[in-house]
């Protein structure tokens, strides 16, 4: 899966593209860009390959690596799935967020 992000006007970026989470959940080799939160998911050389935004040369090199090293690409995709299972599970994240909210809630004033 290749999903290349850019830095838009005024420094605008996306967070972590859902399509990359889904690709790793399905154990697909992943190539993306070093933009915003993407490196949290696509860890260069561990769960996929990262390239500089707009770098055709780096993209070409990453695509050639997937083709030349399919076993490594698959192993990285499997590592990506483990990462998604550990850090991007909706139920686990919802429980963790709820615990944070409960720990920081303020008491409600009497009468209102």
């Amino acid at each position: 899966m290749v999903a290349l992000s850019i830095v838009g006007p005024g420094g605008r970026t996306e967070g972590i593209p859902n399509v990359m989470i889904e690709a790793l959940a399905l154990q697909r080799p992943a190539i993306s860009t070093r933009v915003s939160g993407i490196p949290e998911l696509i860890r260069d050389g561990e769960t996929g390959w990262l390239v500089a935004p707009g770098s055709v040369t780096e993209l070409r090199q990453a695509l050639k690596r997937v083709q030349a090293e399919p076993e490594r690409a698959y192993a990285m995709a499997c590592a990506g799935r483990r990462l998604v299972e550990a850090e991007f599970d909706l139920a686990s994240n919802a429980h963790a967020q709820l615990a944070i909210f409960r720990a920081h809630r303020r008491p409600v004033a009497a009468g209102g």
Side-chain angles (χ1 to χ4, degrees), residues 2 4 6 8 11 14 16 32 34 36 47 65 73-74 77-78 82 84 95 102 105 111:
V2 177
L4 306 176
I6 61 169
E14 59 188 331
I16 299 174
S32 195
R34 292 180 196 95
S36 189
T47 62
R65 284 187 200 125
Y74 180 67
C78 290
R82 290 189 299 273
V84 167
H95 287 295
R102 285 182 174 154
R105 71 177 165 197

PDB file of all heavy atoms in Angstrom, residues 2 4 6 8 11 14 16 32 34 36 47 65 73-74 77-78 82 84 95 102 105 111:
ATOM      1  N   VAL A   2       0.626   2.107  -0.896  1.00  0.00           N
ATOM      2  CA  VAL A   2       1.358   3.365  -0.957  1.00  0.00           C
ATOM      3  C   VAL A   2       0.360   4.495  -0.720  1.00  0.00           C
ATOM      4  O   VAL A   2      -0.637   4.603  -1.431  1.00  0.00           O
ATOM      5  CB  VAL A   2       2.052   3.560  -2.326  1.00  0.00           C
ATOM      6  CG1 VAL A   2       2.746   4.905  -2.384  1.00  0.00           C
ATOM      7  CG2 VAL A   2       3.037   2.431  -2.582  1.00  0.00           C
ATOM      8  N   LEU A   4       0.883   8.505  -0.004  1.00  0.00           N
ATOM      9  CA  LEU A   4       1.821   9.607   0.171  1.00  0.00           C
ATOM     10  C   LEU A   4       1.076  10.863   0.588  1.00  0.00           C
ATOM     11  O   LEU A   4       0.127  11.277  -0.072  1.00  0.00           O
ATOM     12  CB  LEU A   4       2.581   9.849  -1.134  1.00  0.00           C
ATOM     13  CG  LEU A   4       3.292   8.608  -1.702  1.00  0.00           C
ATOM     14  CD1 LEU A   4       3.922   8.936  -3.042  1.00  0.00           C
ATOM     15  CD2 LEU A   4       4.327   8.101  -0.722  1.00  0.00           C
ATOM     16  N   ILE A   6       1.318  15.016   1.883  1.00  0.00           N
ATOM     17  CA  ILE A   6       2.125  16.221   1.698  1.00  0.00           C
ATOM     18  C   ILE A   6       1.777  17.227   2.780  1.00  0.00           C
ATOM     19  O   ILE A   6       0.769  17.087   3.466  1.00  0.00           O
ATOM     20  CB  ILE A   6       1.892  16.856   0.309  1.00  0.00           C
ATOM     21  CG1 ILE A   6       0.420  17.264   0.153  1.00  0.00           C
ATOM     22  CG2 ILE A   6       2.303  15.908  -0.801  1.00  0.00           C
ATOM     23  CD1 ILE A   6       0.131  18.132  -1.048  1.00  0.00           C
ATOM     24  N   GLY A   8       0.367  20.691   3.216  1.00  0.00           N
ATOM     25  CA  GLY A   8      -0.433  21.590   2.397  1.00  0.00           C
ATOM     26  C   GLY A   8      -0.203  23.051   2.728  1.00  0.00           C
ATOM     27  O   GLY A   8       0.660  23.399   3.542  1.00  0.00           O
ATOM     28  N   GLY A  11       0.999  24.843   6.147  1.00  0.00           N
ATOM     29  CA  GLY A  11       1.503  23.763   6.987  1.00  0.00           C
ATOM     30  C   GLY A  11       0.455  22.723   7.329  1.00  0.00           C
ATOM     31  O   GLY A  11       0.654  21.900   8.217  1.00  0.00           O
ATOM     32  N   GLU A  14      -2.493  15.927   7.433  1.00  0.00           N
ATOM     33  CA  GLU A  14      -3.444  15.001   8.032  1.00  0.00           C
ATOM     34  C   GLU A  14      -2.751  14.309   9.187  1.00  0.00           C
ATOM     35  O   GLU A  14      -1.545  14.418   9.351  1.00  0.00           O
ATOM     36  CB  GLU A  14      -3.922  13.987   6.991  1.00  0.00           C
ATOM     37  CG  GLU A  14      -2.802  13.171   6.375  1.00  0.00           C
ATOM     38  CD  GLU A  14      -3.281  12.315   5.213  1.00  0.00           C
ATOM     39  OE1 GLU A  14      -4.446  11.912   5.212  1.00  0.00           O
ATOM     40  OE2 GLU A  14      -2.476  12.067   4.312  1.00  0.00           O
ATOM     41  N   ILE A  16      -2.891  10.459  10.918  1.00  0.00           N
ATOM     42  CA  ILE A  16      -2.466   9.150  10.429  1.00  0.00           C
ATOM     43  C   ILE A  16      -3.577   8.662   9.502  1.00  0.00           C
ATOM     44  O   ILE A  16      -4.705   8.473   9.952  1.00  0.00           O
ATOM     45  CB  ILE A  16      -2.257   8.155  11.581  1.00  0.00           C
ATOM     46  CG1 ILE A  16      -1.165   8.658  12.535  1.00  0.00           C
ATOM     47  CG2 ILE A  16      -1.893   6.777  11.038  1.00  0.00           C
ATOM     48  CD1 ILE A  16      -1.004   7.800  13.789  1.00  0.00           C
ATOM     49  N   SER A  32       4.871   5.183   3.014  1.00  0.00           N
ATOM     50  CA  SER A  32       4.227   6.473   3.195  1.00  0.00           C
ATOM     51  C   SER A  32       5.297   7.545   3.388  1.00  0.00           C
ATOM     52  O   SER A  32       6.479   7.286   3.211  1.00  0.00           O
ATOM     53  CB  SER A  32       3.257   6.440   4.387  1.00  0.00           C
ATOM     54  OG  SER A  32       2.398   7.562   4.354  1.00  0.00           O
ATOM     55  N   ARG A  34       7.116  10.924   5.531  1.00  0.00           N
ATOM     56  CA  ARG A  34       7.473  11.446   6.857  1.00  0.00           C
ATOM     57  C   ARG A  34       6.715  12.746   7.093  1.00  0.00           C
ATOM     58  O   ARG A  34       7.296  13.836   7.058  1.00  0.00           O
ATOM     59  CB  ARG A  34       8.975  11.710   6.933  1.00  0.00           C
ATOM     60  CG  ARG A  34       9.827  10.477   6.891  1.00  0.00           C
ATOM     61  CD  ARG A  34      11.325  10.829   6.976  1.00  0.00           C
ATOM     62  NE  ARG A  34      12.108   9.697   6.564  1.00  0.00           N
ATOM     63  CZ  ARG A  34      12.579   9.503   5.336  1.00  0.00           C
ATOM     64  NH1 ARG A  34      12.349  10.386   4.376  1.00  0.00           N
ATOM     65  NH2 ARG A  34      13.283   8.422   5.058  1.00  0.00           N
ATOM     66  N   SER A  36       3.531  14.556   9.558  1.00  0.00           N
ATOM     67  CA  SER A  36       2.593  14.552  10.671  1.00  0.00           C
ATOM     68  C   SER A  36       2.768  13.321  11.558  1.00  0.00           C
ATOM     69  O   SER A  36       3.870  12.988  11.965  1.00  0.00           O
ATOM     70  CB  SER A  36       1.168  14.675  10.130  1.00  0.00           C
ATOM     71  OG  SER A  36       0.252  14.880  11.171  1.00  0.00           O
ATOM     72  N   THR A  47       7.976  -1.249  10.343  1.00  0.00           N
ATOM     73  CA  THR A  47       6.606  -1.598   9.942  1.00  0.00           C
ATOM     74  C   THR A  47       6.306  -1.159   8.511  1.00  0.00           C
ATOM     75  O   THR A  47       5.183  -1.316   8.035  1.00  0.00           O
ATOM     76  CB  THR A  47       5.556  -0.969  10.888  1.00  0.00           C
ATOM     77  OG1 THR A  47       5.664   0.464  10.825  1.00  0.00           O
ATOM     78  CG2 THR A  47       5.747  -1.452  12.316  1.00  0.00           C
ATOM     79  N   ARG A  65      12.523  -2.020  -3.079  1.00  0.00           N
ATOM     80  CA  ARG A  65      12.795  -2.863  -1.907  1.00  0.00           C
ATOM     81  C   ARG A  65      11.673  -3.874  -1.694  1.00  0.00           C
ATOM     82  O   ARG A  65      11.939  -5.031  -1.385  1.00  0.00           O
ATOM     83  CB  ARG A  65      12.955  -2.004  -0.652  1.00  0.00           C
ATOM     84  CG  ARG A  65      14.277  -1.303  -0.576  1.00  0.00           C
ATOM     85  CD  ARG A  65      14.417  -0.615   0.779  1.00  0.00           C
ATOM     86  NE  ARG A  65      15.417   0.401   0.677  1.00  0.00           N
ATOM     87  CZ  ARG A  65      15.258   1.684   0.978  1.00  0.00           C
ATOM     88  NH1 ARG A  65      14.101   2.113   1.444  1.00  0.00           N
ATOM     89  NH2 ARG A  65      16.231   2.537   0.848  1.00  0.00           N
ATOM     90  N   ALA A  73       9.477  -7.471   3.360  1.00  0.00           N
ATOM     91  CA  ALA A  73       8.285  -6.619   3.279  1.00  0.00           C
ATOM     92  C   ALA A  73       7.132  -7.246   4.061  1.00  0.00           C
ATOM     93  O   ALA A  73       6.410  -6.556   4.793  1.00  0.00           O
ATOM     94  CB  ALA A  73       7.896  -6.386   1.825  1.00  0.00           C
ATOM     95  N   TYR A  74       6.971  -8.560   3.917  1.00  0.00           N
ATOM     96  CA  TYR A  74       5.898  -9.245   4.632  1.00  0.00           C
ATOM     97  C   TYR A  74       6.156  -9.250   6.139  1.00  0.00           C
ATOM     98  O   TYR A  74       5.236  -9.040   6.939  1.00  0.00           O
ATOM     99  CB  TYR A  74       5.719 -10.677   4.113  1.00  0.00           C
ATOM    100  CG  TYR A  74       4.624 -11.422   4.817  1.00  0.00           C
ATOM    101  CD1 TYR A  74       3.288 -11.047   4.669  1.00  0.00           C
ATOM    102  CD2 TYR A  74       4.914 -12.495   5.654  1.00  0.00           C
ATOM    103  CE1 TYR A  74       2.274 -11.724   5.332  1.00  0.00           C
ATOM    104  CE2 TYR A  74       3.908 -13.179   6.323  1.00  0.00           C
ATOM    105  CZ  TYR A  74       2.586 -12.785   6.157  1.00  0.00           C
ATOM    106  OH  TYR A  74       1.582 -13.452   6.819  1.00  0.00           O
ATOM    107  N   ALA A  77       5.229  -5.983   7.421  1.00  0.00           N
ATOM    108  CA  ALA A  77       3.772  -5.849   7.435  1.00  0.00           C
ATOM    109  C   ALA A  77       3.179  -6.585   8.644  1.00  0.00           C
ATOM    110  O   ALA A  77       2.241  -6.099   9.276  1.00  0.00           O
ATOM    111  CB  ALA A  77       3.182  -6.375   6.134  1.00  0.00           C
ATOM    112  N   CYS A  78       3.744  -7.735   8.984  1.00  0.00           N
ATOM    113  CA  CYS A  78       3.294  -8.481  10.168  1.00  0.00           C
ATOM    114  C   CYS A  78       3.604  -7.692  11.443  1.00  0.00           C
ATOM    115  O   CYS A  78       2.787  -7.649  12.367  1.00  0.00           O
ATOM    116  CB  CYS A  78       3.947  -9.857  10.213  1.00  0.00           C
ATOM    117  SG  CYS A  78       3.345 -10.968   8.924  1.00  0.00           S
ATOM    118  N   ARG A  82       0.931  -6.206  14.297  1.00  0.00           N
ATOM    119  CA  ARG A  82       1.082  -6.284  15.756  1.00  0.00           C
ATOM    120  C   ARG A  82       0.995  -4.897  16.387  1.00  0.00           C
ATOM    121  O   ARG A  82       0.380  -4.718  17.446  1.00  0.00           O
ATOM    122  CB  ARG A  82       2.387  -6.988  16.119  1.00  0.00           C
ATOM    123  CG  ARG A  82       2.380  -8.481  15.799  1.00  0.00           C
ATOM    124  CD  ARG A  82       3.587  -9.216  16.359  1.00  0.00           C
ATOM    125  NE  ARG A  82       4.855  -8.725  15.825  1.00  0.00           N
ATOM    126  CZ  ARG A  82       5.413  -9.172  14.694  1.00  0.00           C
ATOM    127  NH1 ARG A  82       4.816 -10.108  13.970  1.00  0.00           N
ATOM    128  NH2 ARG A  82       6.573  -8.682  14.295  1.00  0.00           N
ATOM    129  N   VAL A  84      -0.623  -2.266  15.139  1.00  0.00           N
ATOM    130  CA  VAL A  84      -2.022  -1.841  15.051  1.00  0.00           C
ATOM    131  C   VAL A  84      -2.849  -2.509  16.151  1.00  0.00           C
ATOM    132  O   VAL A  84      -3.650  -1.851  16.822  1.00  0.00           O
ATOM    133  CB  VAL A  84      -2.600  -2.151  13.648  1.00  0.00           C
ATOM    134  CG1 VAL A  84      -4.116  -2.018  13.623  1.00  0.00           C
ATOM    135  CG2 VAL A  84      -1.970  -1.239  12.605  1.00  0.00           C
ATOM    136  N   HIS A  95     -11.296   2.741  26.377  1.00  0.00           N
ATOM    137  CA  HIS A  95     -11.179   2.510  27.819  1.00  0.00           C
ATOM    138  C   HIS A  95     -10.084   3.387  28.424  1.00  0.00           C
ATOM    139  O   HIS A  95     -10.267   3.946  29.515  1.00  0.00           O
ATOM    140  CB  HIS A  95     -10.902   1.034  28.116  1.00  0.00           C
ATOM    141  CG  HIS A  95     -12.088   0.156  27.914  1.00  0.00           C
ATOM    142  ND1 HIS A  95     -13.232   0.245  28.666  1.00  0.00           N
ATOM    143  CD2 HIS A  95     -12.317  -0.836  27.020  1.00  0.00           C
ATOM    144  CE1 HIS A  95     -14.108  -0.648  28.253  1.00  0.00           C
ATOM    145  NE2 HIS A  95     -13.584  -1.319  27.251  1.00  0.00           N
ATOM    146  N   ARG A 102     -12.076  10.175  33.667  1.00  0.00           N
ATOM    147  CA  ARG A 102     -12.506   9.950  35.053  1.00  0.00           C
ATOM    148  C   ARG A 102     -11.489  10.485  36.049  1.00  0.00           C
ATOM    149  O   ARG A 102     -11.842  11.020  37.089  1.00  0.00           O
ATOM    150  CB  ARG A 102     -12.749   8.470  35.280  1.00  0.00           C
ATOM    151  CG  ARG A 102     -14.029   7.990  34.653  1.00  0.00           C
ATOM    152  CD  ARG A 102     -14.279   6.531  34.940  1.00  0.00           C
ATOM    153  NE  ARG A 102     -15.592   6.147  34.437  1.00  0.00           N
ATOM    154  CZ  ARG A 102     -15.909   4.921  34.078  1.00  0.00           C
ATOM    155  NH1 ARG A 102     -15.026   3.944  34.184  1.00  0.00           N
ATOM    156  NH2 ARG A 102     -17.117   4.659  33.626  1.00  0.00           N
ATOM    157  N   ARG A 105     -11.926  14.434  36.100  1.00  0.00           N
ATOM    158  CA  ARG A 105     -13.241  15.082  36.178  1.00  0.00           C
ATOM    159  C   ARG A 105     -13.330  15.930  37.428  1.00  0.00           C
ATOM    160  O   ARG A 105     -12.743  15.647  38.462  1.00  0.00           O
ATOM    161  CB  ARG A 105     -14.357  14.067  36.101  1.00  0.00           C
ATOM    162  CG  ARG A 105     -14.497  13.201  37.314  1.00  0.00           C
ATOM    163  CD  ARG A 105     -15.661  12.267  37.183  1.00  0.00           C
ATOM    164  NE  ARG A 105     -15.527  11.217  38.202  1.00  0.00           N
ATOM    165  CZ  ARG A 105     -16.149  10.104  38.185  1.00  0.00           C
ATOM    166  NH1 ARG A 105     -16.963   9.823  37.196  1.00  0.00           N
ATOM    167  NH2 ARG A 105     -15.978   9.219  39.135  1.00  0.00           N
ATOM    168  N   GLY A 111     -26.694  21.542  43.349  1.00  0.00           N
ATOM    169  CA  GLY A 111     -27.741  22.399  42.815  1.00  0.00           C
ATOM    170  C   GLY A 111     -27.538  22.761  41.360  1.00  0.00           C
ATOM    171  O   GLY A 111     -28.248  23.575  40.802  1.00  0.00           O
TER     172      GLY A 111
END
